[in-house]
Amino acid sequence: MTAGSSSSAAPPAGDAPAAPPSPRRITAEVLIVLGLSLGQSGVYAAMSLADKLTRGPLAGQTTTLNPVLNAREYFDLAYQLLDIGFALMPVALVLFLLSGPGVSAVRRLGLTFDQPLRTIGAGVGLAAIIAVGTVGVYTGGRALGITTALVPAALDDYWWTVPVLVLSALRHAVLEEVIVVGYLFIRLRHLGWSTPAIIITSALLRGSYHLYQGFGPFIGNVLMGLLFAWFYARTRRVMPLVIAHALIDITGFVGYALLGPVLDLGT
């Protein structure tokens, strides 16, 4: 050992513990994540609503979810799967950003099945509440002329239609709940935001990217966002929200694909 050195010498700079991100860096990170995902969707949804409003009454227009992406069956399947896969990349980015040595992003978000019965039960309960509210808001919005007619699924009738619709529902559930609730709560907390401010911001963001469907779905999703964000603030668990959202979308997408044309739903 050379003179003046000791076993307690500071480690090389590259091995030093990372300092907490600065508020400016966190703000930039949040803007980038939202700009690559649901913030971008909110901007496009607002533009879509403006376009529809200049075309005529919303009551006379139709919004189609899960449309055909290619006229040929297996190219359509390939495009559907690519669309679902790439849409989940912002979730992968968020998990990467929230993880670190000895830190699990999945656990930080509460995206686990540590208590399966309680987690599933909470998800089913939330889904039931939102399902009743969704029907009421949609019906009211159509009656008031502030909501377009919704076609939840317009895929052709192939062997893979139902599985793809289930995957699409899971995509929306994971993307929205991980980013709009879990990720925003963690990062906005780091910026010193209060819980009520985070809940309201999360709910308004959720409503914004549904504006392309009309004002009714905006209001309905803001209310859903308030409930979901409140639940997360109390439990710090995003998995029940993912389950609830997935159940709602699976019921809507698959139910319409199987029964919509027969019952003339969505008009």
Side-chain angles (χ1 to χ4, degrees):
M1 184 176 295
T2 58
S5 65
S6 70
S7 60
S8 61
D15 296 333
S22 67
R24 179 177 296 181
R25 186 176 182 87
I26 292 176
T27 300
E29 177 193 296
V30 170
L31 292 175
I32 291 170
V33 168
L34 294 181
L36 292 172
S37 58
L38 295 166
Q40 177 188 136
S41 298
V43 173
Y44 275 107
M47 288 296 294
S48 176
L49 177 62
D51 179 36
K52 288 174 178 175
L53 288 171
T54 59
R55 291 176 182 271
L58 291 177
Q61 300 183 54
T62 299
T63 300
T64 301
L65 312 180
N66 300 296
V68 171
L69 299 180
N70 192 278
R72 292 188 287 175
E73 176 182 356
Y74 287 101
F75 275 97
D76 191 18
L77 173 60
Y79 278 117
Q80 297 289 343
L81 295 177
L82 287 172
D83 187 50
I84 292 169
F86 282 118
L88 288 172
M89 291 309 297
V91 175
L93 174 61
V94 162
L95 294 178
F96 174 78
L97 292 170
L98 294 181
S99 64
V103 178
S104 167
V106 170
R107 291 198 173 277
R108 287 185 73 181
L109 292 165
L111 193 61
T112 63
F113 271 107
D114 292 344
Q115 299 174 307
L117 292 179
R118 186 174 180 180
T119 299
I120 294 172
V124 171
L126 288 169
I129 295 171
I130 296 301
V132 173
T134 297
V135 172
V137 170
Y138 178 72
T139 302
R142 291 293 291 157
L144 294 172
I146 61 173
T147 300
T148 65
L150 295 183
V151 177
L155 298 181
D156 292 328
D157 188 15
Y158 298 128
W159 63 267
W160 48 261
T161 298
V162 169
V164 163
L165 289 174
V166 171
L167 289 176
S168 178
L170 292 172
R171 175 262 306 270
H172 289 295
V174 172
L175 176 66
E176 295 184 36
E177 305 314 326
V178 167
I179 293 180
V180 175
V181 181
Y183 171 75
L184 273 189
F185 253 92
I186 291 173
R187 285 313 195 214
L188 295 183
R189 273 292 194 198
H190 288 163
L191 293 176
W193 287 38
S194 68
T195 296
I198 297 173
I199 290 174
I200 293 171
T201 299
S202 173
L204 290 175
L205 175 58
R206 186 188 296 269
S208 73
Y209 54 79
H210 289 91
L211 276 169
Y212 69 100
Q213 300 173 11
F215 294 106
F218 168 79
I219 296 170
N221 277 278
V222 168
L223 295 176
M224 173 180 173
L226 291 173
L227 174 61
F228 276 24
W230 170 83
F231 178 89
Y232 185 80
R234 290 180 60 88
T235 66
R236 289 297 189 271
R237 292 187 56 76
V238 83
M239 182 58 81
L241 307 182
V242 172
I243 292 172
H245 195 146
L247 288 175
I248 294 166
D249 281 3
I250 289 171
T251 301
F253 296 169
V254 176
Y256 185 90
L258 297 177
L259 301 176
V262 176
L263 302 178
D264 195 25
L265 299 176
T267 59

